[in-house]
PDB file of all heavy atoms in Angstrom:
ATOM      1  N   ILE J 136      23.962  15.206   0.884  1.00 98.00           N
ATOM      2  CA  ILE J 136      24.007  13.766   1.119  1.00 98.00           C
ATOM      3  C   ILE J 136      23.066  13.062   0.139  1.00 98.00           C
ATOM      4  O   ILE J 136      21.908  13.467  -0.020  1.00 98.00           O
ATOM      5  CB  ILE J 136      23.592  13.426   2.559  1.00 98.00           C
ATOM      6  CG1 ILE J 136      24.620  13.991   3.557  1.00 98.00           C
ATOM      7  CG2 ILE J 136      23.430  11.923   2.755  1.00 98.00           C
ATOM      8  CD1 ILE J 136      24.190  13.880   4.994  1.00 98.00           C
ATOM      9  N   LYS J 137      23.550  12.020  -0.519  1.00 98.00           N
ATOM     10  CA  LYS J 137      22.706  11.206  -1.392  1.00 98.00           C
ATOM     11  C   LYS J 137      21.989  10.172  -0.527  1.00 98.00           C
ATOM     12  O   LYS J 137      22.323   8.992  -0.520  1.00 98.00           O
ATOM     13  CB  LYS J 137      23.540  10.556  -2.480  1.00 98.00           C
ATOM     14  CG  LYS J 137      24.141  11.563  -3.455  1.00 98.00           C
ATOM     15  CD  LYS J 137      24.948  10.889  -4.543  1.00 98.00           C
ATOM     16  CE  LYS J 137      25.497  11.926  -5.516  1.00 98.00           C
ATOM     17  NZ  LYS J 137      26.289  11.301  -6.612  1.00 98.00           N
ATOM     18  N   GLY J 138      20.999  10.661   0.207  1.00 98.00           N
ATOM     19  CA  GLY J 138      20.333   9.848   1.206  1.00 98.00           C
ATOM     20  C   GLY J 138      19.231   8.981   0.642  1.00 98.00           C
ATOM     21  O   GLY J 138      18.965   8.950  -0.566  1.00 98.00           O
ATOM     22  N   ASN J 139      18.574   8.289   1.550  1.00 98.00           N
ATOM     23  CA  ASN J 139      17.612   7.260   1.183  1.00 98.00           C
ATOM     24  C   ASN J 139      16.394   7.364   2.094  1.00 98.00           C
ATOM     25  O   ASN J 139      16.540   7.421   3.320  1.00 98.00           O
ATOM     26  CB  ASN J 139      18.298   5.896   1.351  1.00 98.00           C
ATOM     27  CG  ASN J 139      17.595   4.778   0.624  1.00 98.00           C
ATOM     28  OD1 ASN J 139      16.375   4.748   0.552  1.00 98.00           O
ATOM     29  ND2 ASN J 139      18.368   3.841   0.109  1.00 98.00           N
ATOM     30  N   VAL J 140      15.213   7.392   1.502  1.00 99.00           N
ATOM     31  CA  VAL J 140      13.960   7.378   2.262  1.00 99.00           C
ATOM     32  C   VAL J 140      13.163   6.150   1.844  1.00 99.00           C
ATOM     33  O   VAL J 140      13.004   5.879   0.652  1.00 99.00           O
ATOM     34  CB  VAL J 140      13.123   8.649   2.014  1.00 99.00           C
ATOM     35  CG1 VAL J 140      11.771   8.552   2.734  1.00 99.00           C
ATOM     36  CG2 VAL J 140      13.877   9.894   2.454  1.00 99.00           C
ATOM     37  N   ILE J 141      12.687   5.401   2.824  1.00 99.00           N
ATOM     38  CA  ILE J 141      11.845   4.233   2.563  1.00 99.00           C
ATOM     39  C   ILE J 141      10.547   4.401   3.340  1.00 99.00           C
ATOM     40  O   ILE J 141      10.566   4.547   4.560  1.00 99.00           O
ATOM     41  CB  ILE J 141      12.548   2.928   2.985  1.00 99.00           C
ATOM     42  CG1 ILE J 141      13.864   2.755   2.216  1.00 99.00           C
ATOM     43  CG2 ILE J 141      11.629   1.730   2.761  1.00 99.00           C
ATOM     44  CD1 ILE J 141      14.729   1.622   2.726  1.00 99.00           C
ATOM     45  N   ASN J 142       9.442   4.403   2.630  1.00 98.00           N
ATOM     46  CA  ASN J 142       8.128   4.537   3.266  1.00 98.00           C
ATOM     47  C   ASN J 142       7.426   3.189   3.301  1.00 98.00           C
ATOM     48  O   ASN J 142       7.569   2.380   2.385  1.00 98.00           O
ATOM     49  CB  ASN J 142       7.275   5.549   2.504  1.00 98.00           C
ATOM     50  CG  ASN J 142       7.830   6.953   2.604  1.00 98.00           C
ATOM     51  OD1 ASN J 142       8.238   7.395   3.684  1.00 98.00           O
ATOM     52  ND2 ASN J 142       7.868   7.660   1.490  1.00 98.00           N
ATOM     53  N   MET J 143       6.671   2.969   4.363  1.00 98.00           N
ATOM     54  CA  MET J 143       5.928   1.722   4.489  1.00 98.00           C
ATOM     55  C   MET J 143       4.523   1.923   3.943  1.00 98.00           C
ATOM     56  O   MET J 143       3.679   2.569   4.568  1.00 98.00           O
ATOM     57  CB  MET J 143       5.869   1.268   5.946  1.00 98.00           C
ATOM     58  CG  MET J 143       5.401  -0.155   6.101  1.00 98.00           C
ATOM     59  SD  MET J 143       6.417  -1.382   5.227  1.00 98.00           S
ATOM     60  CE  MET J 143       7.995  -1.158   6.073  1.00 98.00           C
ATOM     61  N   SER J 144       4.290   1.390   2.770  1.00 98.00           N
ATOM     62  CA  SER J 144       2.967   1.434   2.177  1.00 98.00           C
ATOM     63  C   SER J 144       2.253   0.119   2.475  1.00 98.00           C
ATOM     64  O   SER J 144       2.385  -0.436   3.564  1.00 98.00           O
ATOM     65  CB  SER J 144       3.066   1.715   0.672  1.00 98.00           C
ATOM     66  OG  SER J 144       1.772   1.919   0.132  1.00 98.00           O
ATOM     67  N   SER J 145       1.550  -0.434   1.497  1.00 98.00           N
ATOM     68  CA  SER J 145       0.747  -1.638   1.711  1.00 98.00           C
ATOM     69  C   SER J 145       0.202  -2.099   0.376  1.00 98.00           C
ATOM     70  O   SER J 145       0.131  -1.307  -0.586  1.00 98.00           O
ATOM     71  CB  SER J 145      -0.413  -1.318   2.660  1.00 98.00           C
ATOM     72  OG  SER J 145      -1.404  -2.323   2.631  1.00 98.00           O
ATOM     73  N   VAL J 146      -0.218  -3.356   0.305  1.00 98.00           N
ATOM     74  CA  VAL J 146      -0.950  -3.793  -0.887  1.00 98.00           C
ATOM     75  C   VAL J 146      -2.196  -2.940  -1.090  1.00 98.00           C
ATOM     76  O   VAL J 146      -2.728  -2.836  -2.196  1.00 98.00           O
ATOM     77  CB  VAL J 146      -1.343  -5.282  -0.806  1.00 98.00           C
ATOM     78  CG1 VAL J 146      -0.124  -6.174  -0.835  1.00 98.00           C
ATOM     79  CG2 VAL J 146      -2.206  -5.565   0.429  1.00 98.00           C
ATOM     80  N   HIS J 147      -2.643  -2.285  -0.016  1.00 98.00           N
ATOM     81  CA  HIS J 147      -3.861  -1.488  -0.098  1.00 98.00           C
ATOM     82  C   HIS J 147      -3.617  -0.084  -0.637  1.00 98.00           C
ATOM     83  O   HIS J 147      -4.525   0.743  -0.599  1.00 98.00           O
ATOM     84  CB  HIS J 147      -4.572  -1.465   1.256  1.00 98.00           C
ATOM     85  CG  HIS J 147      -5.044  -2.817   1.661  1.00 98.00           C
ATOM     86  ND1 HIS J 147      -6.031  -3.486   0.968  1.00 98.00           N
ATOM     87  CD2 HIS J 147      -4.626  -3.671   2.638  1.00 98.00           C
ATOM     88  CE1 HIS J 147      -6.216  -4.676   1.520  1.00 98.00           C
ATOM     89  NE2 HIS J 147      -5.374  -4.813   2.524  1.00 98.00           N
ATOM     90  N   GLU J 148      -2.425   0.151  -1.202  1.00 98.00           N
ATOM     91  CA  GLU J 148      -2.279   1.349  -2.024  1.00 98.00           C
ATOM     92  C   GLU J 148      -2.913   1.097  -3.392  1.00 98.00           C
ATOM     93  O   GLU J 148      -3.154   2.036  -4.151  1.00 98.00           O
ATOM     94  CB  GLU J 148      -0.822   1.750  -2.184  1.00 98.00           C
ATOM     95  CG  GLU J 148       0.004   0.868  -3.108  1.00 98.00           C
ATOM     96  CD  GLU J 148       1.366   1.458  -3.411  1.00 98.00           C
ATOM     97  OE1 GLU J 148       2.055   1.935  -2.481  1.00 98.00           O
ATOM     98  OE2 GLU J 148       1.752   1.435  -4.586  1.00 98.00           O
ATOM     99  N   MET J 149      -3.187  -0.194  -3.701  1.00 97.00           N
ATOM    100  CA  MET J 149      -3.834  -0.511  -4.979  1.00 97.00           C
ATOM    101  C   MET J 149      -5.062  -1.418  -4.827  1.00 97.00           C
ATOM    102  O   MET J 149      -5.903  -1.451  -5.710  1.00 97.00           O
ATOM    103  CB  MET J 149      -2.833  -1.145  -5.946  1.00 97.00           C
ATOM    104  CG  MET J 149      -2.306  -2.495  -5.550  1.00 97.00           C
ATOM    105  SD  MET J 149      -1.225  -3.215  -6.845  1.00 97.00           S
ATOM    106  CE  MET J 149      -2.413  -3.575  -8.139  1.00 97.00           C
ATOM    107  N   ILE J 150      -5.175  -2.136  -3.707  1.00 97.00           N
ATOM    108  CA  ILE J 150      -6.338  -3.008  -3.485  1.00 97.00           C
ATOM    109  C   ILE J 150      -7.329  -2.297  -2.565  1.00 97.00           C
ATOM    110  O   ILE J 150      -6.993  -1.975  -1.423  1.00 97.00           O
ATOM    111  CB  ILE J 150      -5.920  -4.339  -2.831  1.00 97.00           C
ATOM    112  CG1 ILE J 150      -4.925  -5.105  -3.712  1.00 97.00           C
ATOM    113  CG2 ILE J 150      -7.147  -5.206  -2.555  1.00 97.00           C
ATOM    114  CD1 ILE J 150      -4.388  -6.371  -3.056  1.00 97.00           C
ATOM    115  N   PRO J 151      -8.563  -2.029  -3.014  1.00 97.00           N
ATOM    116  CA  PRO J 151      -9.563  -1.422  -2.129  1.00 97.00           C
ATOM    117  C   PRO J 151      -9.795  -2.307  -0.906  1.00 97.00           C
ATOM    118  O   PRO J 151      -9.691  -3.531  -0.982  1.00 97.00           O
ATOM    119  CB  PRO J 151     -10.822  -1.346  -2.998  1.00 97.00           C
ATOM    120  CG  PRO J 151     -10.318  -1.406  -4.401  1.00 97.00           C
ATOM    121  CD  PRO J 151      -9.096  -2.273  -4.368  1.00 97.00           C
ATOM    122  N   TRP J 152     -10.145  -1.667   0.227  1.00 96.00           N
ATOM    123  CA  TRP J 152     -10.309  -2.437   1.467  1.00 96.00           C
ATOM    124  C   TRP J 152     -11.514  -1.930   2.242  1.00 96.00           C
ATOM    125  O   TRP J 152     -11.404  -1.005   3.045  1.00 96.00           O
ATOM    126  CB  TRP J 152      -9.033  -2.331   2.316  1.00 96.00           C
ATOM    127  CG  TRP J 152      -8.910  -3.409   3.359  1.00 96.00           C
ATOM    128  CD1 TRP J 152      -9.620  -4.554   3.455  1.00 96.00           C
ATOM    129  CD2 TRP J 152      -7.974  -3.435   4.443  1.00 96.00           C
ATOM    130  NE1 TRP J 152      -9.202  -5.303   4.526  1.00 96.00           N
ATOM    131  CE2 TRP J 152      -8.194  -4.645   5.155  1.00 96.00           C
ATOM    132  CE3 TRP J 152      -6.973  -2.571   4.888  1.00 96.00           C
ATOM    133  CZ2 TRP J 152      -7.456  -4.984   6.286  1.00 96.00           C
ATOM    134  CZ3 TRP J 152      -6.239  -2.912   6.002  1.00 96.00           C
ATOM    135  CH2 TRP J 152      -6.466  -4.117   6.696  1.00 96.00           C
ATOM    136  N   PRO J 153     -12.693  -2.478   2.003  1.00 97.00           N
ATOM    137  CA  PRO J 153     -13.879  -2.066   2.741  1.00 97.00           C
ATOM    138  C   PRO J 153     -13.662  -2.140   4.252  1.00 97.00           C
ATOM    139  O   PRO J 153     -12.980  -3.049   4.746  1.00 97.00           O
ATOM    140  CB  PRO J 153     -14.946  -3.059   2.278  1.00 97.00           C
ATOM    141  CG  PRO J 153     -14.526  -3.422   0.893  1.00 97.00           C
ATOM    142  CD  PRO J 153     -13.014  -3.481   0.963  1.00 97.00           C
ATOM    143  N   LEU J 154     -14.246  -1.200   4.965  1.00 98.00           N
ATOM    144  CA  LEU J 154     -14.134  -0.990   6.411  1.00 98.00           C
ATOM    145  C   LEU J 154     -12.823  -0.300   6.801  1.00 98.00           C
ATOM    146  O   LEU J 154     -12.641   0.082   7.954  1.00 98.00           O
ATOM    147  CB  LEU J 154     -14.263  -2.295   7.212  1.00 98.00           C
ATOM    148  CG  LEU J 154     -15.506  -3.144   6.968  1.00 98.00           C
ATOM    149  CD1 LEU J 154     -15.497  -4.367   7.897  1.00 98.00           C
ATOM    150  CD2 LEU J 154     -16.777  -2.344   7.183  1.00 98.00           C
ATOM    151  N   PHE J 155     -11.933  -0.114   5.848  1.00 97.00           N
ATOM    152  CA  PHE J 155     -10.642   0.530   6.126  1.00 97.00           C
ATOM    153  C   PHE J 155     -10.389   1.655   5.129  1.00 97.00           C
ATOM    154  O   PHE J 155      -9.276   1.808   4.624  1.00 97.00           O
ATOM    155  CB  PHE J 155      -9.509  -0.495   6.044  1.00 97.00           C
ATOM    156  CG  PHE J 155      -9.539  -1.548   7.119  1.00 97.00           C
ATOM    157  CD1 PHE J 155     -10.292  -2.695   6.960  1.00 97.00           C
ATOM    158  CD2 PHE J 155      -8.810  -1.382   8.290  1.00 97.00           C
ATOM    159  CE1 PHE J 155     -10.319  -3.675   7.945  1.00 97.00           C
ATOM    160  CE2 PHE J 155      -8.830  -2.356   9.287  1.00 97.00           C
ATOM    161  CZ  PHE J 155      -9.580  -3.505   9.113  1.00 97.00           C
ATOM    162  N   VAL J 156     -11.412   2.462   4.861  1.00 98.00           N
ATOM    163  CA  VAL J 156     -11.262   3.511   3.844  1.00 98.00           C
ATOM    164  C   VAL J 156     -10.168   4.505   4.221  1.00 98.00           C
ATOM    165  O   VAL J 156      -9.450   5.013   3.361  1.00 98.00           O
ATOM    166  CB  VAL J 156     -12.611   4.228   3.588  1.00 98.00           C
ATOM    167  CG1 VAL J 156     -13.080   5.008   4.813  1.00 98.00           C
ATOM    168  CG2 VAL J 156     -12.498   5.139   2.372  1.00 98.00           C
ATOM    169  N   HIS J 157     -10.027   4.784   5.533  1.00 98.00           N
ATOM    170  CA  HIS J 157      -8.991   5.724   5.964  1.00 98.00           C
ATOM    171  C   HIS J 157      -7.601   5.142   5.731  1.00 98.00           C
ATOM    172  O   HIS J 157      -6.687   5.838   5.285  1.00 98.00           O
ATOM    173  CB  HIS J 157      -9.179   6.105   7.432  1.00 98.00           C
ATOM    174  CG  HIS J 157      -9.484   4.982   8.373  1.00 98.00           C
ATOM    175  ND1 HIS J 157      -9.594   3.651   7.995  1.00 98.00           N
ATOM    176  CD2 HIS J 157      -9.703   4.980   9.729  1.00 98.00           C
ATOM    177  CE1 HIS J 157      -9.877   2.898   9.045  1.00 98.00           C
ATOM    178  NE2 HIS J 157      -9.947   3.684  10.107  1.00 98.00           N
ATOM    179  N   TYR J 158      -7.442   3.850   5.993  1.00 98.00           N
ATOM    180  CA  TYR J 158      -6.151   3.190   5.802  1.00 98.00           C
ATOM    181  C   TYR J 158      -5.794   3.123   4.316  1.00 98.00           C
ATOM    182  O   TYR J 158      -4.672   3.461   3.913  1.00 98.00           O
ATOM    183  CB  TYR J 158      -6.209   1.789   6.400  1.00 98.00           C
ATOM    184  CG  TYR J 158      -4.905   1.032   6.341  1.00 98.00           C
ATOM    185  CD1 TYR J 158      -3.941   1.191   7.336  1.00 98.00           C
ATOM    186  CD2 TYR J 158      -4.632   0.153   5.297  1.00 98.00           C
ATOM    187  CE1 TYR J 158      -2.737   0.487   7.290  1.00 98.00           C
ATOM    188  CE2 TYR J 158      -3.440  -0.550   5.248  1.00 98.00           C
ATOM    189  CZ  TYR J 158      -2.497  -0.376   6.241  1.00 98.00           C
ATOM    190  OH  TYR J 158      -1.314  -1.063   6.182  1.00 98.00           O
ATOM    191  N   ALA J 159      -6.761   2.689   3.488  1.00 98.00           N
ATOM    192  CA  ALA J 159      -6.510   2.604   2.056  1.00 98.00           C
ATOM    193  C   ALA J 159      -6.182   3.977   1.469  1.00 98.00           C
ATOM    194  O   ALA J 159      -5.288   4.108   0.625  1.00 98.00           O
ATOM    195  CB  ALA J 159      -7.722   1.993   1.347  1.00 98.00           C
TER     196      ALA J 159
END
Side-chain angles (χ1 to χ4, degrees):
I136 294 172
K137 294 181 178 181
N139 198 324
V140 175
I141 300 171
N142 293 316
M143 193 58 62
S144 187
S145 165
V146 294
H147 296 294
E148 73 170 45
M149 66 175 290
I150 300 175
W152 199 14
L154 306 183
F155 293 86
V156 66
H157 44 0
Y158 184 85

